Amino acid sequence: MYEDKTLTCRECGEEFVFTAGEQEFYASKGFVNEPQRCKACRDARRNANRPEREMFTAPCASCGGEARIPFRPMGDRPVYCSECFAKMKESAE
């Protein structure tokens, strides 16, 4: 029923594919217009007004290295760097 279409982004001018699955999704939502921007430009436009997330640093409870976290550490719970957190999560599975 639907076939992939190649469209041109109105922001960057690059071509992108409007897949059959995306067309079916648009139709199910009642959208009548095709997308005007590629995914990267849509994401950039959506995030343009979003403020940059404030990051905090704290010593990692496991390795002692610097952990960058999106919340202010209170000292009541351990904080882990990305690598140590991933190792802990992996060993828990």
Side-chain angles (χ1 to χ4, degrees):
M1 184 168 165
Y2 295 104
E3 292 183 18
D4 290 356
K5 291 183 182 178
T6 302
L7 304 175
T8 303
C9 177
R10 70 188 284 188
E11 288 284 320
C12 66
E14 295 291 320
E15 289 186 343
F16 65 98
V17 178
F18 185 36
T19 66
E22 290 172 329
Q23 292 174 49
E24 190 173 338
F25 173 78
Y26 271 53
S28 73
K29 295 292 184 182
F31 301 148
V32 293
N33 297 323
E34 295 177 340
Q36 300 292 308
R37 294 173 179 84
C38 64
K39 173 129 176 64
C41 289
R42 285 195 315 260
D43 290 344
R45 185 177 170 97
R46 186 178 304 121
N47 294 327
N49 295 329
R50 186 176 292 174
E52 188 69 30
R53 194 169 198 182
E54 185 177 4
M55 299 296 278
F56 300 91
T57 58
C60 175
S62 182
C63 70
E66 183 179 280
R68 290 185 38 83
I69 50 177
F71 56 89
R72 185 180 309 275
M74 298 299 207
D76 58 339
R77 300 173 73 188
V79 174
Y80 301 99
C81 66
S82 300
E83 292 81 22
C84 292
F85 184 79
K87 287 177 192 173
M88 290 178 60
K89 188 175 179 183
E90 185 179 286
S91 66
E93 292 178 349

Short mmCIF file of all heavy atoms in Angstrom, two decimals, residues 53-58 66-71 79-82:
data_model
loop_
_atom_site.label_atom_id
_atom_site.label_comp_id
_atom_site.label_asym_id
_atom_site.label_seq_id
_atom_site.Cartn_x
_atom_site.Cartn_y
_atom_site.Cartn_z
N ARG A 53 21.24 20.89 30.28
CA ARG A 53 21.11 20.26 31.58
C ARG A 53 22.35 20.53 32.42
O ARG A 53 23.47 20.33 31.96
CB ARG A 53 20.94 18.76 31.38
CG ARG A 53 20.48 18.03 32.60
CD ARG A 53 20.09 16.63 32.24
NE ARG A 53 19.27 16.08 33.29
CZ ARG A 53 18.79 14.88 33.30
NH1 ARG A 53 19.06 14.06 32.31
NH2 ARG A 53 18.06 14.45 34.31
N GLU A 54 22.14 20.98 33.65
CA GLU A 54 23.25 21.26 34.55
C GLU A 54 23.83 19.95 35.06
O GLU A 54 23.10 19.06 35.50
CB GLU A 54 22.78 22.11 35.72
CG GLU A 54 23.89 22.54 36.64
CD GLU A 54 23.42 23.45 37.77
OE1 GLU A 54 22.20 23.68 37.88
OE2 GLU A 54 24.27 23.91 38.53
N MET A 55 25.16 19.82 35.00
CA MET A 55 25.83 18.61 35.46
C MET A 55 26.69 18.94 36.67
O MET A 55 27.23 20.04 36.79
CB MET A 55 26.70 18.03 34.34
CG MET A 55 25.93 17.62 33.10
SD MET A 55 24.77 16.29 33.38
CE MET A 55 25.85 14.89 33.28
N PHE A 56 26.81 17.99 37.56
CA PHE A 56 27.61 18.15 38.78
C PHE A 56 28.70 17.09 38.79
O PHE A 56 28.58 16.05 38.13
CB PHE A 56 26.72 17.97 40.02
CG PHE A 56 25.61 18.97 40.10
CD1 PHE A 56 24.37 18.71 39.53
CD2 PHE A 56 25.80 20.20 40.72
CE1 PHE A 56 23.34 19.63 39.59
CE2 PHE A 56 24.79 21.12 40.78
CZ PHE A 56 23.55 20.84 40.23
N THR A 57 29.76 17.33 39.51
CA THR A 57 30.83 16.35 39.64
C THR A 57 30.91 15.88 41.08
O THR A 57 30.63 16.63 42.02
CB THR A 57 32.19 16.92 39.22
OG1 THR A 57 32.47 18.06 40.01
CG2 THR A 57 32.20 17.31 37.76
N ALA A 58 31.29 14.62 41.23
CA ALA A 58 31.46 14.02 42.55
C ALA A 58 32.45 12.88 42.41
O ALA A 58 32.60 12.32 41.32
CB ALA A 58 30.13 13.50 43.07
N GLU A 66 36.37 10.89 38.74
CA GLU A 66 35.35 11.93 38.69
C GLU A 66 34.09 11.40 38.02
O GLU A 66 34.14 10.84 36.94
CB GLU A 66 35.88 13.14 37.92
CG GLU A 66 34.91 14.29 37.88
CD GLU A 66 35.46 15.48 37.13
OE1 GLU A 66 36.25 16.24 37.72
OE2 GLU A 66 35.10 15.64 35.95
N ALA A 67 32.97 11.57 38.69
CA ALA A 67 31.67 11.18 38.14
C ALA A 67 30.90 12.44 37.79
O ALA A 67 30.79 13.34 38.62
CB ALA A 67 30.90 10.34 39.15
N ARG A 68 30.41 12.52 36.56
CA ARG A 68 29.56 13.65 36.15
C ARG A 68 28.13 13.17 36.20
O ARG A 68 27.76 12.21 35.53
CB ARG A 68 29.93 14.12 34.75
CG ARG A 68 31.29 14.80 34.72
CD ARG A 68 31.67 15.39 33.37
NE ARG A 68 30.61 16.02 32.61
CZ ARG A 68 30.17 17.28 32.78
NH1 ARG A 68 30.69 18.03 33.72
NH2 ARG A 68 29.21 17.76 32.02
N ILE A 69 27.31 13.85 37.00
CA ILE A 69 25.94 13.42 37.25
C ILE A 69 24.97 14.57 37.06
O ILE A 69 25.33 15.73 37.25
CB ILE A 69 25.81 12.83 38.67
CG1 ILE A 69 26.41 13.79 39.70
CG2 ILE A 69 26.49 11.48 38.76
CD1 ILE A 69 26.28 13.35 41.13
N PRO A 70 23.71 14.28 36.68
CA PRO A 70 22.74 15.34 36.42
C PRO A 70 21.96 15.79 37.66
O PRO A 70 20.93 16.42 37.55
CB PRO A 70 21.80 14.70 35.40
CG PRO A 70 21.84 13.26 35.75
CD PRO A 70 23.25 12.99 36.22
N PHE A 71 22.45 15.47 38.84
CA PHE A 71 21.78 15.88 40.08
C PHE A 71 22.84 16.30 41.10
O PHE A 71 23.98 15.87 41.03
CB PHE A 71 20.91 14.75 40.64
CG PHE A 71 21.66 13.47 40.90
CD1 PHE A 71 22.28 13.25 42.12
CD2 PHE A 71 21.75 12.50 39.91
CE1 PHE A 71 22.98 12.07 42.35
CE2 PHE A 71 22.45 11.33 40.14
CZ PHE A 71 23.07 11.12 41.35
N VAL A 79 27.74 7.59 44.73
CA VAL A 79 27.67 8.07 43.34
C VAL A 79 28.74 7.34 42.56
O VAL A 79 29.86 7.18 43.03
CB VAL A 79 27.91 9.60 43.29
CG1 VAL A 79 27.99 10.08 41.85
CG2 VAL A 79 26.83 10.33 44.05
N TYR A 80 28.41 6.88 41.36
CA TYR A 80 29.33 6.12 40.54
C TYR A 80 29.55 6.80 39.19
O TYR A 80 28.62 7.40 38.64
CB TYR A 80 28.80 4.70 40.30
CG TYR A 80 28.59 3.93 41.59
CD1 TYR A 80 27.33 3.82 42.16
CD2 TYR A 80 29.66 3.34 42.24
CE1 TYR A 80 27.13 3.14 43.34
CE2 TYR A 80 29.48 2.65 43.44
CZ TYR A 80 28.22 2.55 43.98
OH TYR A 80 28.02 1.88 45.15
N CYS A 81 30.77 6.66 38.66
CA CYS A 81 31.05 7.18 37.31
C CYS A 81 30.34 6.27 36.31
O CYS A 81 29.84 5.19 36.65
CB CYS A 81 32.55 7.22 37.06
SG CYS A 81 33.36 5.61 37.01
N SER A 82 30.30 6.68 35.07
CA SER A 82 29.58 5.93 34.03
C SER A 82 30.10 4.50 33.89
O SER A 82 29.31 3.55 33.78
CB SER A 82 29.71 6.63 32.68
OG SER A 82 29.15 7.91 32.75
#
